Amino acid sequence: MVAGQGNRGYLGAWCRLTPLVGSRMESVDLAVVAAYLVILVVAGAWLARRAGQGTDAYFLGGRKLPWWALGSSGMSSNLDVAGTMTIVALVTLYGRQGFWIEMRGGVVLPIAVFLAFMGRWHRRSEVMTTAEWMLLRFGQGRGGRLARVTAALTYVVLTVAMIVFFLSAGGRFMADFLPYSETQCAVGIALVAFLYTAASGLHGVIWTDVVQTVLIGGAAMYVAVTAAGLVTPELLAAWPAHDLNTVWPRLGDDRLQPYLPFLAFLAVWMSKGILEGLGGSGGSAYMAQRFYAAGTERDCGRIAMLWTVLFAARWPMVIGFAILAMDIGLDVNSVEAAEGVLPAVLQSAHFPAGIRGLLLAAMLAAAMSTFDSTLNAGASYVVRDLYQPLRQAVSERHLVVVGYLASALLVSIGLGLSLTLGGSVLGVWIGIVMLLFPAFLVPFALRWYWSRFNGHGFAAGILGGFGAALYFSLADPAGWNEATRFLGIALLSGVASVAGTVTTAPVPAKELQAFYRQIRPGGAWPREWRAAHRAEHRLDGRVLVQAVVWQICTFLLPMAL
């Protein structure tokens, strides 16, 4: 979000400024979108029998899903419509410097950490959810149970918030291309996504995401190739941000306001991404879920590798949209104008009838794939961590039914809030991402690397971080930008984590050692425990550095060609 926008955000302004273009949709375009939605529902019904075998099948696919399908699903889950619109606006305004600005989230640096070692650590856990993982780490006592409930509630809140955002953004986007209102489009997206996600569980999510990856990849290729054929020195010179189109960061350029000093902002954004990965959360439940569902430890590296390679398609696509905006002569000299680039380009002559329908189906696929992954992962926390501990004697079939109901409840709450909050939805979402993420990143990271850390410290860190985030949200103190707010909330969360830990009893040595033997993480663990695994930990550190550099280059280089 560009400073000065406040809670208005990109999408809110775009929705007010972009003209309706539903009249530009031809019958063939509508047929393509309708066919895509029918395929999703049919696929969900076909896969429902596999998902109904039990909670392991419903939420993890029985750990039998192929690694390439899990990696493809990860890519499509990370690529959403609103995020793509935001990145297109940033690249249009700041050229390739928009890529560096998106280190705060759009580059998804946690994938590099999962590639290096975090994916393996998750698979070794042999659990279904990160909240259930807390019992493995902190024991079955009061501290472990407290950490489990705290983690589950954190993810449920984040799931509802994401559903609110996705439905609001998706409804508004599709309403400008289809002959329906925003409310009708939001309800339609919720209904279709709920039907195939609830019916088929992770099987349906993964296999429909594979189809959606093909759609998204095809759209990215079409946009990139079309734009590449139009590039001339004159066209690039007409780009207001043409002299910001350098590969490396422009650290001293005043035009990068409000992100100055740019080096400091970049350091905070990159640290945030790495911290998300080191905490094993990735800021989302579905990222960890892909690795819990992996068949073997070796598959985890393959999943993350494919995830990264496929996700690279986003970046030539977004710069392609910016180039097409220059070609059709759009005014991109202001934030408001840049926010309308994506929908304006999609209604241009570069996308004839039929092709436009495929592109809209791809954009809808981007919205659906993120929505379905979030919903399935969020329902797993309701069932596994909030309901099942209270009803331990129930059958697996009963728990699957509860999964259906949990999915319905989450969608209902999210849909209700998205329709009620209206124009302020994006402001709420940005507040959650920029304020609440630092509230839980520190305790989520400490659980892996500090042996003294306990369940009480974890819960205290989450609550302390949430309290700090609430203060910044309500008081909105002057003199704080997004970087300093992030650091302030993360610091307070870390202090609360340490205070809660040192004032309560440590995890029993027997349970702690059992955890270490199973997971073998690096960090501040007893020396005699680490002795046999030092070579692995050194290799993990080297691979992490290489993975971060490789991921950044993989994303950035296609934009530079």
Side-chain angles (χ1 to χ4, degrees):
M1 179 178 66
V2 176
Q5 291 284 306
N7 285 339
R8 181 171 58 128
Y10 288 115
L11 187 60
W14 166 71
C15 289
R16 291 189 293 272
L17 293 172
T18 303
L20 293 177
V21 294
S23 59
R24 293 179 178 268
M25 290 289 287
E26 303 289 344
S27 297
V28 65
D29 298 321
L30 295 174
V32 169
V33 174
Y36 162 73
L37 296 175
V38 170
I39 289 172
L40 289 185
V41 175
V42 172
W46 181 62
L47 293 167
R49 181 173 297 180
R50 291 187 181 183
Q53 296 173 356
T55 52
D56 191 66
Y58 189 79
F59 292 119
L60 296 182
R63 292 191 173 93
K64 296 179 181 179
L65 291 164
W67 64 268
W68 55 267
L70 291 167
S72 300
S73 173
M75 173 272 194
S76 60
S77 296
N78 266 141
L79 206 159
D80 63 287
V81 171
T84 300
M85 290 166 56
T86 300
I87 296 173
V88 169
L90 287 172
V91 170
T92 302
L93 283 171
Y94 299 109
R96 293 192 187 98
Q97 299 304 304
F99 172 86
W100 296 107
I101 294 172
E102 270 307 294
M103 282 291 172
R104 62 182 166 191
V107 179
V108 199
L109 285 178
I111 303 176
V113 186
F114 276 85
L115 172 59
F117 54 81
M118 189 55 69
R120 299 198 314 273
W121 293 1
H122 276 70
R123 183 62 184 86
R124 292 171 184 172
S125 302
E126 296 285 349
V127 297
M128 185 175 294
T129 68
T130 297
E132 182 184 1
W133 183 97
M134 300 299 166
L135 297 179
L136 177 67
R137 170 62 176 85
F138 300 126
Q140 301 289 331
R142 183 177 179 182
R145 296 194 302 272
L146 178 61
R148 181 183 193 180
V149 172
T150 303
L153 292 175
T154 298
Y155 275 124
V156 168
V157 170
L158 289 173
T159 296
V160 171
M162 293 172 76
I163 289 174
V164 169
F165 176 64
F166 296 145
L167 289 181
S168 178
R172 289 171 179 174
F173 182 83
M174 296 309 298
D176 282 335
F177 292 91
L178 299 176
Y180 304 105
S181 67
E182 292 180 10
T183 299
Q184 290 171 324
C185 288
V187 172
I189 292 173
L191 182 60
V192 172
F194 167 72
L195 286 176
Y196 77 80
T197 303
S200 57
L202 191 64
H203 279 287
V205 170
I206 296 300
W207 290 116
T208 53
D209 280 0
V210 170
V211 175
Q212 289 165 164
T213 297
V214 175
L215 275 174
I216 295 168
M221 184 178 299
Y222 180 89
V223 172
V225 171
T226 300
L230 299 171
V231 173
T232 63
E234 294 76 19
L235 180 67
L236 295 180
W239 193 338
H242 69 277
D243 51 350
L244 291 176
N245 260 325
T246 56
V247 173
W248 302 111
R250 298 283 293 268
L251 301 181
D253 199 310
D254 290 340
R255 287 168 298 173
L256 291 175
Q257 286 282 9
Y259 307 117
L260 294 178
F262 194 60
L263 180 61
F265 274 88
L266 186 58
V268 171
W269 293 330
M270 294 188 70
S271 298
K272 171 184 175 292
I274 297 298
L275 185 60
E276 287 182 35
L278 291 175
S281 67
S284 64
Y286 65 77
M287 181 172 284
Q289 186 187 34
R290 297 299 180 273
F291 295 92
Y292 289 139
T296 65
E297 288 186 26
R298 186 178 181 184
D299 285 347
C300 293
R302 294 169 172 172
I303 291 168
M305 181 75 74
L306 181 61
W307 194 325
T308 303
V309 171
L310 293 177
F311 198 63
R314 164 181 265 185
W315 303 100
M317 178 177 68
V318 297
I319 202 167
F321 277 118
I323 291 171
L324 292 175
M326 300 303 106
D327 181 70
I328 62 179
L330 290 182
D331 173 19
V332 292
N333 288 297
S334 66
V335 173
E336 289 76 10
E339 289 163 356
V341 165
L342 180 58
V345 169
L346 282 176
Q347 59 179 298
S348 71
H350 290 298
F351 301 93
I355 297 297
R356 182 179 293 113
L358 288 172
L359 265 292
L360 286 177
M363 294 296 104
L364 187 56
M368 289 283 197
S369 58
T370 311
F371 181 94
D372 61 21
S373 296
T374 301
L375 178 59
N376 183 262
S380 71
Y381 286 86
V382 175
V383 175
R384 188 73 167 185
D385 303 300
L386 299 178
Y387 182 82
Q388 192 172 3
L390 303 176
R391 300 287 302 277
Q392 297 183 9
V394 298
S395 66
E396 285 290 301
R397 178 58 186 169
H398 177 92
L399 292 175
V400 171
V401 173
V402 174
Y404 299 156
L405 297 176
S407 298
L409 178 64
L410 292 173
V411 171
S412 298
I413 295 174
L415 180 60
L417 289 175
S418 69
L419 298 178
T420 302
L421 295 175
S424 65
V425 170
L426 186 57
V428 173
W429 164 247
I430 291 176
I432 290 171
V433 171
M434 301 309 297
L435 298 179
L436 292 190
F437 270 32
F440 67 80
L441 292 182
V442 173
F444 267 77
L446 289 176
R447 64 192 172 114
W448 293 99
Y449 310 102
W450 184 25
S451 62
R452 179 61 177 84
F453 197 46
N454 60 20
H456 293 90
F458 178 85
I462 296 289
L463 293 176
F466 279 8
L470 184 63
Y471 165 75
F472 279 107
S473 178
L474 297 178
D476 193 20
W480 292 76
N481 57 43
E482 68 177 61
T484 54
R485 290 187 185 207
F486 174 89
L487 293 174
I489 295 170
L491 177 62
L492 290 172
S493 176
V495 170
S497 297
V498 173
T501 297
V502 300
T503 56
T504 54
V507 177
K510 183 178 179 180
E511 294 179 315
L512 191 63
Q513 190 167 13
F515 165 81
Y516 188 84
R517 286 174 177 172
Q518 182 173 340
I519 309 300
R520 305 187 298 277
W525 295 89
R527 182 175 300 177
E528 58 274 18
W529 297 4
R530 292 186 286 113
H533 310 294
R534 286 175 182 167
E536 178 185 349
H537 296 154
R538 292 193 189 101
L539 179 61
D540 289 344
R542 292 195 297 270
V543 172
L544 175 58
V545 174
Q546 295 168 359
V548 170
V549 174
W550 175 74
Q551 179 174 326
I552 292 174
C553 291
T554 300
F555 292 175
L556 184 60
L557 289 180
M559 299 178 68
L561 296 178

